[in-house]
Coordinates of all heavy atoms in Angstrom, one line a residue:
M21 N -22.9 -14.1 27.2 CA -23.9 -14.3 26.2 C -25.2 -14.9 26.8 O -25.1 -15.6 27.7 CB -23.4 -15.3 25.2 CG -22.4 -14.8 24.3 SD -21.9 -15.9 22.9 CE -22.3 -17.5 23.3
Q22 N -26.3 -14.3 26.3 CA -27.6 -14.8 26.8 C -27.9 -16.2 26.2 O -27.6 -16.4 25.0 CB -28.6 -13.8 26.5 CG -28.5 -12.6 27.3 CD -29.7 -11.6 27.0 OE1 -30.4 -11.8 26.1 NE2 -29.6 -10.5 27.6
Q23 N -28.5 -17.1 26.9 CA -28.8 -18.4 26.4 C -29.9 -18.3 25.4 O -30.8 -17.5 25.5 CB -29.1 -19.3 27.5 CG -28.0 -19.5 28.5 CD -26.8 -20.2 27.9 OE1 -26.9 -21.0 27.0 NE2 -25.6 -19.8 28.3
D24 N -29.9 -19.1 24.4 CA -31.0 -19.3 23.4 C -31.2 -18.1 22.6 O -32.3 -17.9 21.9 CB -32.4 -19.7 24.1 CG -32.3 -20.9 25.0 OD1 -31.5 -21.8 24.5 OD2 -32.9 -21.0 26.0
K25 N -30.3 -17.2 22.5 CA -30.4 -16.1 21.6 C -29.4 -16.1 20.4 O -29.5 -15.5 19.4 CB -30.1 -14.7 22.3 CG -31.3 -14.3 23.0 CD -31.2 -12.8 23.3 CE -32.5 -12.3 23.9 NZ -32.6 -10.9 23.9
H26 N -28.3 -16.9 20.5 CA -27.3 -17.0 19.6 C -27.2 -18.3 18.9 O -27.6 -19.3 19.5 CB -25.9 -16.7 20.3 CG -25.9 -15.4 21.0 ND1 -25.6 -14.2 20.3 CD2 -26.0 -15.1 22.2 CE1 -25.7 -13.2 21.1 NE2 -25.9 -13.7 22.4
P27 N -26.9 -18.3 17.6 CA -26.8 -19.6 16.9 C -25.7 -20.5 17.4 O -24.7 -20.0 18.0 CB -26.5 -19.2 15.4 CG -25.9 -17.8 15.5 CD -26.5 -17.2 16.8
A28 N -25.8 -21.8 17.2 CA -24.8 -22.7 17.6 C -23.4 -22.5 16.9 O -23.4 -22.2 15.7 CB -25.2 -24.1 17.3
Y29 N -22.4 -22.4 17.7 CA -21.0 -22.2 17.1 C -20.3 -23.4 17.3 O -20.0 -23.9 18.3 CB -20.4 -21.0 18.0 CG -19.1 -20.5 17.5 CD1 -19.0 -19.9 16.3 CD2 -17.9 -20.7 18.3 CE1 -17.8 -19.3 15.9 CE2 -16.7 -20.2 17.8 CZ -16.7 -19.5 16.6 OH -15.5 -19.0 16.2
H30 N -19.9 -24.0 16.2 CA -19.2 -25.3 16.2 C -18.2 -25.5 15.1 O -18.0 -24.6 14.2 CB -20.3 -26.4 16.0 CG -21.2 -26.2 14.8 ND1 -22.2 -25.3 14.8 CD2 -21.1 -26.7 13.5 CE1 -22.7 -25.3 13.6 NE2 -22.0 -26.1 12.8
E31 N -17.5 -26.6 15.1 CA -16.4 -26.8 14.1 C -17.0 -27.2 12.8 O -17.9 -28.0 12.7 CB -15.4 -27.8 14.6 CG -14.6 -27.3 15.8 CD -13.6 -28.3 16.3 OE1 -13.8 -29.5 16.2 OE2 -12.6 -27.9 16.9
V32 N -16.5 -26.6 11.7 CA -17.0 -26.8 10.3 C -15.8 -26.9 9.4 O -14.9 -26.1 9.6 CB -18.0 -25.7 9.9 CG1 -18.5 -25.9 8.5 CG2 -19.1 -25.6 10.8
V33 N -15.9 -27.7 8.4 CA -14.9 -27.7 7.3 C -15.4 -26.9 6.2 O -16.6 -27.2 5.7 CB -14.6 -29.2 6.9 CG1 -13.7 -29.2 5.7 CG2 -14.1 -30.0 8.1
F34 N -14.6 -26.0 5.7 CA -14.9 -25.2 4.5 C -14.1 -25.8 3.4 O -12.8 -25.9 3.5 CB -14.6 -23.8 4.7 CG -15.7 -23.1 5.5 CD1 -15.5 -22.9 6.9 CD2 -16.8 -22.5 4.9 CE1 -16.5 -22.3 7.6 CE2 -17.8 -21.9 5.7 CZ -17.6 -21.8 7.0
R35 N -14.7 -26.1 2.2 CA -14.0 -26.8 1.1 C -14.1 -26.0 -0.1 O -15.2 -25.6 -0.6 CB -14.6 -28.2 1.0 CG -14.0 -29.0 -0.2 CD -14.5 -30.4 -0.2 NE -15.9 -30.5 -0.2 CZ -16.6 -31.6 -0.1 NH1 -15.9 -32.7 0.1 NH2 -17.9 -31.6 -0.1
D36 N -13.0 -25.7 -0.8 CA -13.0 -25.0 -2.0 C -12.7 -26.1 -3.1 O -11.6 -26.6 -3.2 CB -11.8 -24.0 -2.0 CG -11.8 -23.2 -3.3 OD1 -12.5 -23.5 -4.3 OD2 -10.9 -22.2 -3.4
R37 N -13.8 -26.4 -3.8 CA -13.7 -27.5 -4.8 C -12.8 -27.1 -5.9 O -12.2 -27.9 -6.5 CB -15.1 -27.8 -5.2 CG -15.9 -28.6 -4.2 CD -17.1 -29.2 -4.9 NE -17.8 -30.0 -4.0 CZ -17.6 -31.4 -3.9 NH1 -16.7 -31.9 -4.6 NH2 -18.3 -32.1 -3.0
A38 N -12.8 -25.8 -6.3 CA -12.0 -25.4 -7.5 C -10.5 -25.6 -7.2 O -9.7 -26.0 -8.1 CB -12.2 -23.9 -7.9
A39 N -10.1 -25.3 -6.0 CA -8.6 -25.5 -5.7 C -8.3 -26.8 -5.0 O -7.1 -27.1 -4.8 CB -8.2 -24.3 -4.8
G40 N -9.3 -27.6 -4.6 CA -9.0 -28.8 -3.9 C -8.5 -28.5 -2.5 O -7.6 -29.3 -2.1
Y41 N -8.9 -27.5 -1.9 CA -8.4 -27.1 -0.6 C -9.5 -27.1 0.4 O -10.7 -26.7 0.1 CB -7.9 -25.7 -0.8 CG -7.3 -25.1 0.5 CD1 -6.2 -25.5 1.1 CD2 -8.0 -24.0 1.1 CE1 -5.7 -25.0 2.3 CE2 -7.5 -23.4 2.2 CZ -6.3 -23.9 2.9 OH -5.9 -23.3 4.0
A42 N -9.3 -27.5 1.6 CA -10.2 -27.6 2.7 C -9.6 -27.1 4.0 O -8.4 -27.4 4.2 CB -10.9 -28.9 2.8
F43 N -10.3 -26.5 4.9 CA -9.7 -26.1 6.2 C -10.8 -26.2 7.2 O -12.0 -26.1 7.0 CB -9.1 -24.7 6.1 CG -10.1 -23.6 5.8 CD1 -10.7 -22.9 6.7 CD2 -10.3 -23.3 4.4 CE1 -11.6 -21.9 6.4 CE2 -11.1 -22.3 4.0 CZ -11.8 -21.6 5.0
L44 N -10.4 -26.5 8.4 CA -11.3 -26.7 9.6 C -11.2 -25.4 10.4 O -10.2 -24.9 10.7 CB -10.8 -27.9 10.4 CG -11.6 -28.2 11.7 CD1 -13.0 -28.7 11.4 CD2 -10.9 -29.3 12.5
T45 N -12.4 -24.9 10.8 CA -12.5 -23.7 11.6 C -13.8 -23.8 12.4 O -14.6 -24.8 12.2 CB -12.4 -22.5 10.8 OG1 -12.4 -21.3 11.6 CG2 -13.7 -22.4 9.8
R46 N -14.1 -22.9 13.2 CA -15.3 -22.8 13.9 C -16.2 -21.7 13.3 O -15.8 -20.7 12.8 CB -15.1 -22.4 15.4 CG -14.3 -23.5 16.1 CD -14.1 -23.2 17.5 NE -15.2 -23.0 18.3 CZ -16.1 -23.9 18.8 NH1 -15.8 -25.1 18.7 NH2 -17.1 -23.5 19.5
S47 N -17.5 -22.0 13.1 CA -18.5 -21.2 12.5 C -19.9 -21.5 12.9 O -20.1 -22.5 13.5 CB -18.4 -21.4 10.9 OG -19.3 -20.6 10.3
T48 N -20.8 -20.6 12.5 CA -22.2 -20.9 12.8 C -22.9 -21.5 11.6 O -24.0 -21.8 11.6 CB -23.0 -19.6 13.2 OG1 -22.8 -18.7 12.1 CG2 -22.4 -19.0 14.5
A49 N -22.2 -21.6 10.5 CA -22.6 -22.3 9.3 C -23.0 -23.7 9.5 O -22.4 -24.4 10.3 CB -21.6 -22.1 8.1
T50 N -24.1 -24.1 8.8 CA -24.5 -25.5 8.9 C -24.6 -26.2 7.6 O -24.7 -25.5 6.6 CB -25.9 -25.6 9.6 OG1 -26.9 -24.8 8.8 CG2 -25.9 -25.0 11.0
S51 N -24.6 -27.5 7.6 CA -24.7 -28.2 6.3 C -25.2 -29.6 6.6 O -24.9 -30.1 7.7 CB -23.3 -28.2 5.6 OG -23.4 -29.1 4.5
D52 N -25.8 -30.2 5.7 CA -26.3 -31.6 5.8 C -25.2 -32.6 5.4 O -25.2 -33.8 5.8 CB -27.6 -31.8 4.9 CG -28.7 -31.1 5.4 OD1 -28.8 -30.8 6.7 OD2 -29.6 -30.8 4.6
Q53 N -24.2 -32.1 4.6 CA -23.1 -32.9 4.2 C -22.1 -33.0 5.3 O -21.9 -32.0 6.0 CB -22.5 -32.3 2.9 CG -23.4 -32.4 1.7 CD -22.7 -31.6 0.5 OE1 -21.8 -30.9 0.7 NE2 -23.1 -32.0 -0.6
T54 N -21.4 -34.1 5.4 CA -20.3 -34.3 6.4 C -19.1 -34.9 5.6 O -19.2 -35.3 4.5 CB -20.7 -35.3 7.4 OG1 -21.0 -36.5 6.9 CG2 -21.9 -34.8 8.2
I55 N -17.9 -34.7 6.3 CA -16.7 -35.2 5.8 C -15.9 -35.7 7.0 O -16.0 -35.2 8.1 CB -15.9 -34.1 5.0 CG1 -14.7 -34.6 4.3 CG2 -15.5 -33.0 6.0 CD1 -14.0 -33.6 3.4
E56 N -15.1 -36.8 6.7 CA -14.2 -37.2 7.8 C -12.9 -36.5 7.6 O -12.2 -36.4 6.6 CB -13.9 -38.7 7.6 CG -13.2 -39.2 8.8 CD -13.0 -40.7 8.8 OE1 -14.0 -41.4 8.2 OE2 -12.0 -41.3 9.3
W57 N -12.5 -35.8 8.7 CA -11.2 -35.0 8.7 C -10.0 -35.8 9.0 O -10.1 -36.9 9.4 CB -11.5 -33.8 9.6 CG -10.5 -32.7 9.5 CD1 -9.6 -32.2 10.4 CD2 -10.3 -31.9 8.3 NE1 -8.8 -31.2 9.9 CE2 -9.2 -31.0 8.6 CE3 -10.9 -31.9 7.1 CZ2 -8.8 -30.0 7.7 CZ3 -10.4 -30.9 6.1 CH2 -9.4 -30.0 6.4
D58 N -8.8 -35.1 9.0 CA -7.6 -35.8 9.2 C -7.5 -36.5 10.6 O -6.8 -37.4 10.8 CB -6.4 -34.9 9.0 CG -6.3 -34.4 7.6 OD1 -6.9 -35.1 6.7 OD2 -5.8 -33.3 7.3
D59 N -8.2 -35.8 11.6 CA -8.1 -36.3 12.9 C -9.1 -37.5 13.2 O -9.2 -38.0 14.4 CB -8.4 -35.2 13.9 CG -9.8 -34.6 13.7 OD1 -10.5 -35.1 12.9 OD2 -10.0 -33.7 14.5
G60 N -9.8 -38.0 12.2 CA -10.7 -39.1 12.3 C -12.1 -38.7 12.7 O -13.0 -39.6 12.7
E61 N -12.3 -37.5 13.1 CA -13.7 -37.0 13.4 C -14.4 -36.6 12.2 O -13.9 -36.4 11.1 CB -13.6 -35.8 14.3 CG -12.9 -36.0 15.7 CD -13.7 -36.9 16.6 OE1 -15.0 -36.7 16.6 OE2 -13.2 -37.7 17.3
T62 N -15.8 -36.6 12.3 CA -16.7 -36.3 11.2 C -17.2 -34.9 11.5 O -17.7 -34.6 12.6 CB -17.8 -37.3 11.1 OG1 -17.2 -38.6 10.8 CG2 -18.7 -36.9 9.9
Y63 N -17.1 -34.0 10.5 CA -17.6 -32.6 10.6 C -18.5 -32.3 9.5 O -18.4 -32.8 8.4 CB -16.4 -31.6 10.6 CG -15.4 -31.9 11.7 CD1 -14.2 -32.5 11.5 CD2 -15.7 -31.4 13.0 CE1 -13.3 -32.7 12.5 CE2 -14.8 -31.7 14.1 CZ -13.6 -32.2 13.8 OH -12.7 -32.5 14.8
P64 N -19.4 -31.3 9.7 CA -20.2 -30.8 8.6 C -19.2 -30.0 7.5 O -18.2 -29.4 8.0 CB -21.2 -29.8 9.2 CG -20.9 -29.8 10.7 CD -19.8 -30.6 10.9
V65 N -19.5 -30.1 6.3 CA -18.7 -29.5 5.3 C -19.6 -28.5 4.5 O -20.7 -28.8 4.1 CB -18.0 -30.6 4.4 CG1 -19.0 -31.3 3.6 CG2 -17.0 -29.9 3.4
V66 N -19.0 -27.3 4.2 CA -19.6 -26.3 3.5 C -18.8 -26.0 2.3 O -17.6 -25.7 2.4 CB -19.8 -24.9 4.3 CG1 -20.4 -23.9 3.5 CG2 -20.7 -25.2 5.6
D67 N -19.3 -26.2 1.1 CA -18.6 -25.9 -0.1 C -18.6 -24.4 -0.5 O -19.7 -23.8 -0.5 CB -19.2 -26.7 -1.3 CG -18.9 -28.2 -1.2 OD1 -17.8 -28.5 -0.6 OD2 -19.8 -29.0 -1.5
V68 N -17.5 -23.8 -0.8 CA -17.4 -22.4 -1.2 C -16.8 -22.4 -2.6 O -16.0 -23.3 -3.0 CB -16.5 -21.7 -0.2 CG1 -17.2 -21.6 1.2 CG2 -15.1 -22.2 -0.1
E69 N -17.1 -21.2 -3.3 CA -16.6 -21.1 -4.6 C -15.2 -20.5 -4.6 O -14.4 -20.8 -5.5 CB -17.5 -20.2 -5.4 CG -18.9 -20.9 -5.6 CD -19.7 -20.1 -6.6 OE1 -19.3 -19.3 -7.3 OE2 -21.0 -20.2 -6.4
I70 N -14.9 -19.6 -3.7 CA -13.6 -18.9 -3.7 C -13.1 -18.9 -2.3 O -13.8 -18.6 -1.3 CB -13.7 -17.5 -4.2 CG1 -14.2 -17.5 -5.6 CG2 -12.4 -16.7 -3.9 CD1 -14.4 -16.1 -6.2
S71 N -11.8 -19.3 -2.1 CA -11.1 -19.2 -0.8 C -9.7 -18.5 -1.0 O -9.5 -18.1 -2.2 CB -10.9 -20.6 -0.2 OG -9.9 -21.3 -0.9
S72 N -8.9 -18.5 -0.1 CA -7.6 -17.9 -0.2 C -6.8 -18.6 -1.2 O -5.8 -18.1 -1.7 CB -6.9 -17.7 1.2 OG -6.8 -19.1 1.7
E73 N -7.1 -19.9 -1.4 CA -6.3 -20.7 -2.3 C -6.7 -20.4 -3.8 O -5.8 -20.7 -4.7 CB -6.5 -22.2 -2.0 CG -5.9 -22.7 -0.8 CD -4.3 -22.6 -0.9 OE1 -3.8 -23.1 -1.8 OE2 -3.7 -22.1 0.1
S74 N -7.8 -19.9 -4.1 CA -8.2 -19.8 -5.5 C -8.5 -18.3 -5.8 O -8.7 -18.0 -7.0 CB -9.5 -20.6 -5.8 OG -10.6 -20.2 -4.9
H75 N -8.5 -17.4 -4.9 CA -8.8 -16.0 -5.1 C -7.6 -15.3 -5.8 O -6.5 -15.5 -5.3 CB -9.1 -15.2 -3.8 CG -9.8 -13.9 -4.1 ND1 -9.0 -12.8 -4.4 CD2 -11.0 -13.5 -4.0 CE1 -9.8 -11.8 -4.5 NE2 -11.0 -12.2 -4.3
P76 N -7.8 -14.6 -6.9 CA -6.7 -14.0 -7.6 C -5.8 -13.1 -6.8 O -4.6 -13.1 -7.0 CB -7.3 -13.3 -8.8 CG -8.7 -13.8 -8.9 CD -9.0 -14.4 -7.6
F77 N -6.4 -12.4 -5.8 CA -5.5 -11.4 -5.1 C -4.6 -12.2 -4.2 O -3.4 -11.8 -4.1 CB -6.5 -10.6 -4.2 CG -5.8 -9.6 -3.3 CD1 -5.2 -8.4 -3.8 CD2 -5.5 -9.9 -2.0 CE1 -4.5 -7.6 -3.0 CE2 -4.9 -9.0 -1.2 CZ -4.4 -7.9 -1.7
Y78 N -5.0 -13.3 -3.6 CA -4.1 -14.0 -2.7 C -3.2 -14.9 -3.4 O -2.1 -15.2 -2.9 CB -4.9 -14.8 -1.7 CG -5.7 -14.0 -0.7 CD1 -7.1 -13.9 -0.9 CD2 -5.2 -13.3 0.2 CE1 -7.9 -13.1 0.0 CE2 -5.9 -12.4 1.1 CZ -7.2 -12.4 1.0 OH -8.0 -11.7 1.9
T79 N -3.5 -15.4 -4.6 CA -2.6 -16.3 -5.4 C -1.6 -15.6 -6.2 O -0.7 -16.2 -6.7 CB -3.5 -17.2 -6.3 OG1 -4.2 -16.4 -7.2 CG2 -4.4 -18.1 -5.4
G80 N -1.8 -14.3 -6.4 CA -0.8 -13.5 -7.2 C -1.2 -13.5 -8.7 O -0.4 -13.1 -9.5
K81 N -2.3 -14.1 -9.0 CA -2.7 -14.2 -10.5 C -3.7 -13.1 -10.8 O -4.6 -13.3 -11.6 CB -3.3 -15.6 -10.7 CG -2.3 -16.7 -10.5 CD -3.0 -18.0 -10.7 CE -2.0 -19.1 -10.4 NZ -2.6 -20.5 -10.4
A82 N -3.6 -12.0 -10.1 CA -4.5 -10.9 -10.3 C -4.3 -10.3 -11.7 O -3.2 -10.3 -12.3 CB -4.4 -9.8 -9.3
R83 N -5.4 -9.8 -12.3 CA -5.3 -9.3 -13.7 C -4.7 -7.8 -13.6 O -5.2 -7.0 -12.7 CB -6.7 -9.2 -14.2 CG -6.8 -8.9 -15.7 CD -8.2 -9.0 -16.2 NE -9.1 -8.2 -15.3 CZ -10.1 -7.5 -15.8 NH1 -10.4 -7.6 -17.0 NH2 -10.9 -6.8 -15.0
T84 N -3.8 -7.5 -14.4 CA -3.2 -6.1 -14.4 C -4.0 -5.3 -15.4 O -4.3 -5.8 -16.5 CB -1.8 -6.1 -14.7 OG1 -1.6 -6.8 -16.0 CG2 -0.9 -6.9 -13.7
V85 N -4.3 -4.1 -15.1 CA -5.0 -3.2 -15.9 C -4.1 -2.3 -16.7 O -3.1 -1.8 -16.2 CB -5.9 -2.3 -15.1 CG1 -6.7 -1.3 -16.0 CG2 -6.9 -3.1 -14.3
D86 N -4.3 -2.4 -18.0 CA -3.4 -1.6 -19.0 C -3.9 -0.1 -19.0 O -4.8 0.3 -19.8 CB -3.5 -2.2 -20.3 CG -2.7 -1.5 -21.4 OD1 -1.8 -0.7 -20.9 OD2 -2.9 -1.6 -22.6
T87 N -3.3 0.7 -18.0 CA -3.8 2.1 -17.9 C -3.4 2.9 -19.1 O -4.1 3.8 -19.5 CB -3.2 2.7 -16.6 OG1 -1.9 2.6 -16.6 CG2 -3.8 2.0 -15.4
E88 N -2.3 2.6 -19.7 CA -1.8 3.5 -20.8 C -2.8 3.2 -22.0 O -3.2 4.1 -22.7 CB -0.4 3.1 -21.3 CG 0.1 3.9 -22.4 CD 1.5 3.6 -22.8 OE1 2.2 2.9 -22.0 OE2 2.0 3.9 -23.8
G89 N -3.2 2.0 -22.2 CA -4.2 1.7 -23.3 C -5.5 2.3 -23.1 O -6.1 2.8 -24.0
R90 N -5.9 2.4 -21.8 CA -7.2 3.0 -21.5 C -7.2 4.5 -21.8 O -8.1 5.1 -22.2 CB -7.6 2.7 -20.0 CG -8.0 1.3 -19.8 CD -8.5 1.1 -18.4 NE -9.0 -0.2 -18.3 CZ -9.9 -0.5 -17.4 NH1 -10.5 0.4 -16.6 NH2 -10.4 -1.7 -17.4
I91 N -6.0 5.2 -21.4 CA -5.9 6.6 -21.6 C -5.9 6.9 -23.1 O -6.6 7.8 -23.5 CB -4.6 7.1 -20.9 CG1 -4.8 7.0 -19.4 CG2 -4.3 8.5 -21.3 CD1 -3.5 7.3 -18.7
A92 N -5.2 6.1 -23.9 CA -5.1 6.3 -25.3 C -6.5 6.1 -25.9 O -6.9 6.8 -26.8 CB -4.1 5.4 -26.0
Q93 N -7.2 5.1 -25.4 CA -8.6 4.9 -26.0 C -9.5 6.0 -25.6 O -10.3 6.5 -26.5 CB -9.1 3.5 -25.4 CG -10.5 3.2 -25.8 CD -11.0 2.0 -25.2 OE1 -10.5 1.5 -24.2 NE2 -12.1 1.4 -25.7
F94 N -9.4 6.6 -24.5 CA -10.2 7.7 -24.0 C -9.9 9.0 -24.9 O -10.8 9.6 -25.4 CB -9.9 8.1 -22.6 CG -10.7 9.3 -22.1 CD1 -12.0 9.2 -21.7 CD2 -10.1 10.6 -22.1 CE1 -12.7 10.2 -21.2 CE2 -10.8 11.6 -21.6 CZ -12.1 11.5 -21.2
E95 N -8.6 9.2 -25.2 CA -8.2 10.3 -26.0 C -8.7 10.2 -27.4 O -9.1 11.1 -28.1 CB -6.7 10.5 -26.0 CG -6.2 11.1 -24.6 CD -4.7 11.2 -24.5 OE1 -4.0 10.8 -25.5 OE2 -4.3 11.7 -23.5
R96 N -8.6 9.0 -28.0 CA -9.2 8.7 -29.3 C -10.6 8.9 -29.4 O -11.2 9.5 -30.3 CB -8.8 7.3 -29.8 CG -7.4 7.1 -30.2 CD -7.3 5.7 -31.0 NE -7.8 4.6 -30.3 CZ -7.1 3.9 -29.4 NH1 -5.9 4.2 -29.1 NH2 -7.7 2.9 -28.8
R97 N -11.3 8.5 -28.4 CA -12.8 8.5 -28.4 C -13.3 9.9 -28.2 O -14.2 10.4 -28.9 CB -13.3 7.6 -27.3 CG -14.9 7.6 -27.3 CD -15.4 6.6 -26.2 NE -15.0 5.3 -26.6 CZ -15.1 4.3 -25.6 NH1 -15.5 4.5 -24.5 NH2 -14.8 3.1 -26.0
Y98 N -12.7 10.7 -27.3 CA -13.2 12.0 -26.9 C -12.3 13.1 -27.3 O -12.6 14.3 -27.0 CB -13.5 12.1 -25.4 CG -14.5 11.1 -25.0 CD1 -14.1 9.9 -24.3 CD2 -15.8 11.2 -25.3 CE1 -15.1 9.0 -23.9 CE2 -16.8 10.2 -24.9 CZ -16.4 9.1 -24.2 OH -17.3 8.2 -23.8
G99 N -11.2 12.9 -28.0 CA -10.4 13.9 -28.5 C -9.6 14.6 -27.4 O -9.3 15.8 -27.6
G100 N -9.3 14.0 -26.4 CA -8.6 14.6 -25.2 C -7.2 14.8 -25.6 O -6.6 14.2 -26.5
G101 N -6.6 15.8 -24.9 CA -5.2 16.0 -25.1 C -4.8 17.0 -26.3 O -3.7 17.3 -26.5
Q102 N -5.8 17.5 -27.0 CA -5.7 18.4 -28.0 C -6.1 19.8 -27.6 O -7.2 19.9 -27.0 CB -6.5 18.0 -29.3 CG -6.0 16.7 -29.8 CD -6.9 16.2 -31.0 OE1 -7.8 16.9 -31.4 NE2 -6.7 15.0 -31.4
D103 N -5.3 20.8 -27.8 CA -5.8 22.2 -27.6 C -6.5 22.7 -28.7 O -6.2 22.6 -29.9 CB -4.5 23.0 -27.3 CG -3.8 22.7 -26.0 OD1 -4.5 22.2 -25.1 OD2 -2.6 22.8 -26.0
A104 N -7.7 23.4 -28.4 CA -8.6 23.8 -29.5 C -8.2 25.2 -29.9 O -7.7 26.0 -29.3 CB -10.0 23.7 -29.1

């Protein structure tokens, strides 16, 4: 890597406030807020709205789509499925 061309890469805590979950990783993200982590060190903290703990795909709480109801609604609206 060339010097002075890349952003600083350092340890950061990402915190999902909705799920009450936080994890420590390395990132170029910055923040003025700090948090004391389990190891006793202080790290910058970045609040996120969705993480793997609160995202419906990862938690198994994904919404299922009623495809049969959609097909019936389409046929009622546009008269599909009838031979003219």
Side-chain angles (χ1 to χ4, degrees):
M21 289 190 331
Q22 294 179 353
Q23 298 299 323
D24 302 326
K25 279 200 169 194
H26 301 281
Y29 188 67
H30 52 278
E31 293 182 332
V32 177
V33 174
F34 285 93
R35 178 173 52 189
D36 183 352
R37 288 195 173 265
Y41 176 70
F43 58 94
L44 178 66
T45 188
R46 294 182 55 85
S47 176
T48 58
T50 59
S51 175
D52 294 333
Q53 297 177 334
T54 60
I55 189 172
E56 186 173 331
W57 195 242
D58 299 336
D59 60 2
E61 296 290 325
T62 302
Y63 299 104
V65 63
V66 176
D67 291 326
V68 294
E69 293 185 25
I70 296 178
S71 71
S72 61
E73 289 292 313
S74 62
H75 193 280
F77 178 79
Y78 294 110
T79 59
K81 297 177 184 172
R83 190 174 57 143
T84 57
V85 177
D86 181 18
T87 56
E88 183 177 345
R90 287 182 174 213
I91 292 170
Q93 181 181 10
F94 179 85
E95 288 177 353
R96 279 194 311 273
R97 185 178 294 166
Y98 300 106
Q102 297 175 3
D103 293 327

